[in-house]
Amino acid sequence: MTDPRSNGYTHINGQNGHAGSYTNGDSGPAHLNLDAVIVGAGFAGVYLLHQLRKEGLNVKIVEAGHGLGGVWHWNSYPGARVDTPVPTYALNIPEVYETWTWTEKYPGEQELKAYFNHIDNVLDISKDVIYGEKITKAVFDEATDKWQLESDHGTTFTARFFCLCIGFASKRYSPDWPGLDEEYKGRVIHPNLWPSEGIDMRGKKVSVIGTGATGLQIAQEAARNAQQLTCFVRTPNLSWPMGQKKIEPERAMKDRALLKYQLGEKRFTTVGGFLYDETTRRVMDDTPEEREARLEKEYQDGGFRIFFCSYIDILGDQEGNDEIYKFWRRKTHERMADKQKAEILAPLKPPHPFAGKRPSLEQDYYEQMDKPHVTLVDVKSNPVTHLVSNGIVTADGAFHEADVIVLATGYDAVTGGFRDIAITGLDGLTLESKWSDATHSYLGLTISGFPNMFYAYGPLSPTAYGTGPAIVESQAHWIIDTMRKMREQGATRINATAEGEREWKEKVNTIHAYTLRDKIEGSWYLGLNVPGKRRETLIFAGGLPMYRKEIWNAIVPDWKGFTVG
């Protein structure tokens, strides 16, 4: 079956990878002997494959979709757009960036798909990708120090190294409301499965569940076309203006000369991997008049500059954070005529510290929500109880008719995708049992008891607290340096120690406790967006420079926190 999100570059069996089952002639599914298997063809998987090829290793990516891009292969919903500006949100591969020109400061999903297509055209990534298959089982063979892997199509692999590049948002989460599957007769869709041909919302009554980045982007667009839009708001998104701009080709050409420095050096010197010049100024250092002028400029410019260029302590000091919230709330209310709606989206009492949950970047969200055909339902005080054949019923007995229900309810983030694979390490230890009491990792890259297994952009690393490409490039080069050092020493196995793992988790928890993010309930940063999931710190909050120093100190000049042999 052709993936509906292939957008014109599905790869078929043959010289450019394949779609569907990887077969070995007429003898059934193939078995591949490799140096490494990478799971996932997003930024991390593509970059790691490209670099491992340079090392002369025999590597394949196994990708569930039918095109490159990771989350951007799947995301085709209206308004889908990255919140990191380019060129920050791009890979440091000269042969790619020297032949590519962005058209918008914050690219949408179509341009991002085209970018990955361009990467494929330049590097021929697809010749080493097995499309349309998912790794379902992984077992470490202690006799050979190799991984034995199996896909859902029966393809099997033997590889020295097993590299998980599945990202933090690969396992969809949907609520288990009564009637959702059995009673409701309209269309229900998770944004991650939005068809590339789109869904016509004209003349329809649409309900959007959720106010994360995805829910906001869909609501912002649906309000333009739907006959009626109902947005179910649990926690309002404290959204900051995006400041979207077109990029003139002449400007892009002129800026291309800076990319070697920006992508190869500058990104790795800043806390979040952005290209902003960071400040040491604190919120309360300014007079009220100075603060107002500074915040107004950042509000007009848009983007995440405010957190790096204006003040250093927005997430470190509650008094200063309150000042930022007051400014933001006033600006939001000024944009909305319906004050009841404005109070739902920007309440007098902050729902959490400002930017404690990642703010979405909006273009005209508040103006769209202000329209008379848009209804906001506060589900924190009035939760959904069940669904009937043609709509949603809330606790107050109100019925909300819906032809289309969009479940923008997010993902079992950071750890959920790992649990989709039955992973078994030393002495029969499964990852499920390893993580039964808490999520353990060393350096946000390895897990004790699972030798020769690496991952990128996952738990206990910077992940959501920085820009994806800068983080995964750092992790990919660390993985390569580790493999190279093992090869030089004649080693066939590397395993994190339990003590190293314990110390790393303690460090992650200690640093995170200094931030206001640590005090927020309902945050997926802490695993609290999925009912029944335990509360724990999942993200390293020390910034990219500190993280890079920590991970390389563990392998240079000597191994620290590893047993290698």
Side-chain angles (χ1 to χ4, degrees):
M1 178 182 292
T2 299
D3 192 305
R5 289 152 296 275
S6 58
N7 288 277
Y9 57 101
T10 294
H11 301 287
I12 307 303
N13 296 350
Q15 102 182 55
N16 288 325
H18 74 281
S21 181
Y22 196 104
T23 59
N24 184 17
D26 296 326
S27 60
H31 178 81
L32 283 73
N33 286 291
L34 302 166
D35 294 312
V37 169
I38 298 169
V39 182
F43 278 108
V46 166
Y47 190 79
L48 183 57
L49 172 68
H50 175 58
Q51 298 301 330
L52 288 176
R53 280 176 173 176
K54 293 182 180 180
E55 297 292 307
L57 299 187
N58 186 12
V59 187
K60 296 289 183 188
I61 293 175
V62 182
E63 165 58 44
H66 292 270
L68 303 182
V71 69
W72 296 111
H73 166 71
W74 297 100
N75 280 351
S76 293
Y77 63 83
R81 186 174 300 281
V82 69
D83 62 5
T84 299
V86 296
T88 305
Y89 199 69
L91 292 175
N92 180 28
I93 303 175
E95 55 265 54
V96 171
Y97 67 64
E98 287 172 358
T99 53
W100 175 260
T101 302
W102 295 103
T103 66
E104 290 184 306
K105 184 177 179 180
Y106 297 92
E109 50 93 10
Q110 286 293 328
E111 186 163 15
L112 287 161
K113 287 178 172 67
Y115 173 67
F116 276 96
N117 197 20
H118 174 69
I119 292 175
D120 206 11
N121 289 336
V122 173
L123 303 177
D124 199 7
I125 297 295
S126 284
K127 74 178 181 181
D128 289 319
V129 181
I130 298 171
Y131 289 104
E133 297 192 25
K134 296 175 67 174
I135 294 295
T136 55
K137 183 179 180 181
V139 179
F140 185 72
D141 184 344
E142 300 182 44
T144 63
D145 287 343
K146 293 184 177 181
W147 283 91
Q148 302 295 331
L149 311 172
E150 185 175 334
S151 83
D152 58 349
H153 283 66
T155 309
T156 55
F157 309 81
T158 298
R160 176 73 66 201
F161 299 104
F162 176 34
C163 304
L164 288 155
C165 296
I166 57 178
F168 68 81
S170 59
K171 185 175 183 179
R172 293 178 288 274
Y173 166 71
S174 297
D176 58 354
W177 294 325
L180 180 61
D181 298 322
E182 308 85 6
E183 299 294 332
Y184 181 66
K185 305 303 182 187
R187 183 165 191 173
V188 179
I189 188 164
H190 193 286
N192 188 246
L193 294 175
W194 206 279
S196 58
E197 68 272 14
I199 296 174
D200 188 359
M201 291 186 268
R202 291 174 298 180
K204 292 186 174 64
K205 296 176 180 177
V206 178
S207 288
V208 177
I209 316 295
T211 52
T214 302
L216 182 147
Q217 289 176 333
I218 292 174
Q220 187 173 251
E221 297 304 313
R224 307 181 202 281
N225 301 311
Q227 175 189 335
Q228 178 181 309
L229 174 64
T230 305
C231 296
F232 292 77
V233 180
R234 181 179 68 176
T235 305
N237 194 314
L238 312 186
S239 308
W240 193 255
M242 175 173 280
Q244 176 67 300
K245 294 178 181 177
K246 294 289 184 182
I247 299 174
E248 296 300 326
E250 297 78 12
R251 180 78 260 173
M253 288 291 291
K254 190 174 293 186
D255 290 346
R256 189 169 287 165
L258 303 173
L259 293 179
K260 181 179 180 180
Y261 165 70
Q262 290 177 329
L263 301 186
E265 298 180 42
K266 173 73 171 179
R267 281 193 306 186
F268 304 120
T269 66
T270 65
V271 171
F274 288 87
L275 295 175
Y276 303 131
D277 293 323
E278 296 172 344
T279 184
T280 58
R281 186 186 306 106
R282 297 179 178 276
V283 177
M284 303 311 292
D285 289 345
D286 278 349
T287 66
E289 295 76 19
E290 290 171 334
R291 188 162 53 245
E292 175 72 18
R294 198 178 310 281
L295 291 176
E296 181 63 33
K297 182 180 186 307
E298 295 296 354
Y299 195 83
Q300 296 305 320
D301 289 345
F304 291 140
R305 281 177 42 90
I306 178 177
F307 305 109
F308 304 99
C309 304
S310 288
Y311 302 109
I312 195 175
D313 63 337
I314 291 176
L315 283 167
D317 175 66
Q318 187 64 61
E319 182 184 14
N321 191 280
D322 288 342
E323 292 300 315
I324 306 296
Y325 183 83
K326 290 175 187 175
F327 171 86
W328 172 83
R329 179 177 184 271
R330 173 166 53 79
K331 298 295 289 187
T332 300
H333 276 250
E334 287 172 359
R335 293 168 60 182
M336 301 185 71
D338 188 323
K339 296 309 174 186
Q340 185 175 359
K341 287 183 181 178
E343 193 59 32
I344 291 175
L345 296 179
L348 179 62
K349 180 182 178 181
H352 54 74
F354 188 80
K357 292 184 176 183
R358 185 165 176 143
S360 293
L361 298 183
E362 53 84 25
Q363 297 186 68
D364 61 353
Y365 173 68
Y366 296 105
E367 287 77 10
Q368 294 299 331
M369 295 303 97
D370 204 34
K371 289 180 175 179
H373 71 289
V374 176
T375 299
L376 303 181
V377 179
D378 181 357
V379 294
K380 183 160 280 188
S381 61
N382 187 27
V384 171
T385 58
H386 63 284
L387 274 69
V388 293
S389 63
N390 58 341
I392 300 170
V393 180
T394 46
D396 61 356
F399 166 69
H400 307 274
E401 188 175 357
D403 303 310
V404 179
I405 296 176
V406 181
L407 296 177
T409 45
Y411 300 84
D412 183 351
V414 188
T415 59
F418 288 78
R419 289 191 165 93
D420 275 348
I421 305 173
I423 303 176
T424 305
L426 297 175
D427 301 319
L429 177 67
T430 66
L431 186 62
E432 187 66 37
S433 62
K434 166 85 177 182
W435 283 358
S436 61
D437 63 330
T439 301
H440 303 280
S441 165
Y442 182 47
L443 305 176
L445 283 158
T446 66
I447 302 170
S448 178
F450 299 83
N452 300 356
M453 184 178 89
F454 306 115
Y455 68 83
Y457 215 52
L460 307 190
S461 82
T463 312
Y465 291 173
T467 64
I471 293 168
V472 302
E473 286 180 22
S474 300
Q475 293 174 324
H477 283 291
W478 182 91
I479 291 169
I480 291 162
D481 286 352
T482 299
M483 291 181 180
R484 188 184 296 133
K485 186 170 183 175
M486 289 177 66
R487 186 166 64 247
E488 291 169 353
Q489 296 182 354
T492 59
R493 180 192 292 191
I494 183 168
N495 185 34
T497 65
E499 179 64 15
E501 202 172 59
R502 184 194 64 76
E503 290 178 356
W504 181 251
K505 188 169 183 67
E506 185 176 288
K507 182 170 293 186
V508 170
N509 287 339
T510 299
I511 294 171
H512 205 269
Y514 283 106
T515 75
L516 296 177
R517 285 179 173 134
D518 201 60
K519 302 167 178 60
I520 295 173
E521 298 304 317
S523 171
W524 62 264
Y525 295 157
L526 300 169
L528 297 175
N529 65 312
V530 175
K533 201 169 177 180
R534 63 177 167 265
R535 188 189 201 280
E536 60 177 340
T537 301
L538 293 172
I539 313 293
F540 175 83
L544 190 54
M546 180 190 289
Y547 179 70
R548 286 169 58 88
K549 181 179 179 180
E550 291 280 351
I551 64 177
W552 264 286
N553 280 348
I555 63 172
V556 178
D558 302 311
W559 301 109
K560 301 179 187 70
F562 290 106
T563 56
V564 183

